[in-house]
Amino acid sequence: MRVAVTVDDREPAGLVEAVRRHADVTEVRVERLASGDLAIGSVGFERKTPRDYVTSAVGRAGSDLTDQVERMATAYDHSYVLLEGEFADLESLRTTVSPASIRGSMASITARQGVPVVPCTDRRRLVDFAIRLGRKHAEDPTTDRLPVGSVPSRREPTTKRIYGCIEGIGPELAATLYDRYPSVEALLEAGREDLTRIDGIGEVRANTIAAAFRTDGTRE
């Protein structure tokens, strides 16, 4: 499935170009958005660099991220804050804000406002993740029923539950995968040989895991 993306006209040209280069984008519109920096259908995204995030979420200057998130929640059915960086980037900034306060703000926005805050490493991965999210929200959910006990409890981390939904994995292997790759981004960076080194994952399961995150059905 391919999607059309709207980019706010105040965003840098490099972001627009990264969206245009993505293979799953059919159209890119550059115009003023009432809220968010990217929009795919009814899904909105606020893009933040590490410094932008700290300034707007817990700093004393700049825009108010809480207000931005509230406006996105009103404008879109689904909203996300995507960071163009990693946790380490947030914590290495020269700022008076403590790393604990930064992590706390991310947890607060995710839990209390219902808008996930997701570190995406760099711009290319941020764009790719946004497009994957927009596409998933637009797709019709599968009607196939999963076997009882095949997916970890809802109390488990979301990433572990995602792993448990992969065909042939289940809770035990999902926990093993989650211990090794606590984010989907980390799992996507792993090669098939890395996966087959995990006890219980052979070549067939490694191919299945790789294919689960590729919509074109290809396997590495």
Side-chain angles (χ1 to χ4, degrees), residues 22-42:
H22 198 285
D24 295 330
V25 172
T26 58
E27 178 186 3
V28 180
R29 295 185 292 271
V30 180
E31 59 189 53
R32 185 62 52 94
L33 291 171
S35 61
D37 299 318
L38 295 167
I40 302 174
S42 62

Side-chain angles (χ1 to χ4, degrees), residues 1-78:
M1 178 180 182
R2 305 180 72 198
V3 296
V5 182
T6 302
V7 182
D8 187 81
D9 60 11
R10 291 162 290 192
E11 288 299 287
L15 179 67
V16 177
E17 184 58 30
V19 175
R20 291 190 194 280
R21 286 198 302 264
H22 198 285
D24 295 330
V25 172
T26 58
E27 178 186 3
V28 180
R29 295 185 292 271
V30 180
E31 59 189 53
R32 185 62 52 94
L33 291 171
S35 61
D37 299 318
L38 295 167
I40 302 174
S42 62
V43 188
F45 304 91
E46 182 72 28
R47 181 190 70 92
K48 293 291 185 187
T49 65
R51 187 166 295 280
D52 285 342
Y53 178 84
V54 173
T55 299
S56 61
V58 289
R60 295 183 177 180
S63 56
D64 185 345
L65 183 56
T66 298
D67 179 64
Q68 292 173 333
V69 167
E70 288 176 353
R71 284 190 283 113
M72 275 205 305
T74 300
Y76 303 103
D77 292 339
H78 308 280

Side-chain angles (χ1 to χ4, degrees), residues 77-95:
D77 292 339
H78 308 280
S79 303
Y80 297 87
V81 175
L82 304 183
L83 300 182
E84 203 170 285
E86 301 176 330
F87 277 105
D89 299 322
L90 289 164
E91 297 182 358
S92 64
L93 292 173
R94 294 183 179 180
T95 174

Side-chain angles (χ1 to χ4, degrees), residues 8-9 18 31 45 55 57 100 109 124 144 148 177 182 191 193 197 203 212:
D8 187 81
D9 60 11
E31 59 189 53
F45 304 91
T55 299
I109 291 170
R124 179 182 64 81
D144 296 338
V148 175
L177 276 173
E193 291 184 1
R197 293 191 187 101
E203 187 171 334

Side-chain angles (χ1 to χ4, degrees), residues 139-208:
E139 290 174 351
D140 291 328
T142 179
T143 57
D144 296 338
R145 296 181 64 86
L146 293 168
V148 175
S150 64
V151 181
S153 164
R154 289 183 181 273
R155 293 188 294 271
E156 296 284 5
T158 300
T159 302
K160 185 187 290 188
R161 289 165 54 201
I162 290 173
Y163 294 164
C165 291
I166 299 172
E167 182 182 357
I169 298 304
E172 290 188 9
L173 268 180
T176 301
L177 276 173
Y178 180 72
D179 288 341
R180 186 73 62 88
Y181 306 109
S183 70
V184 173
E185 290 81 3
L187 180 63
L188 289 172
E189 292 293 328
R192 186 170 56 189
E193 291 184 1
D194 297 320
L195 293 172
T196 56
R197 293 191 187 101
I198 299 174
D199 188 29
I201 297 180
E203 187 171 334
V204 172
R205 277 181 172 160
N207 284 335
T208 300

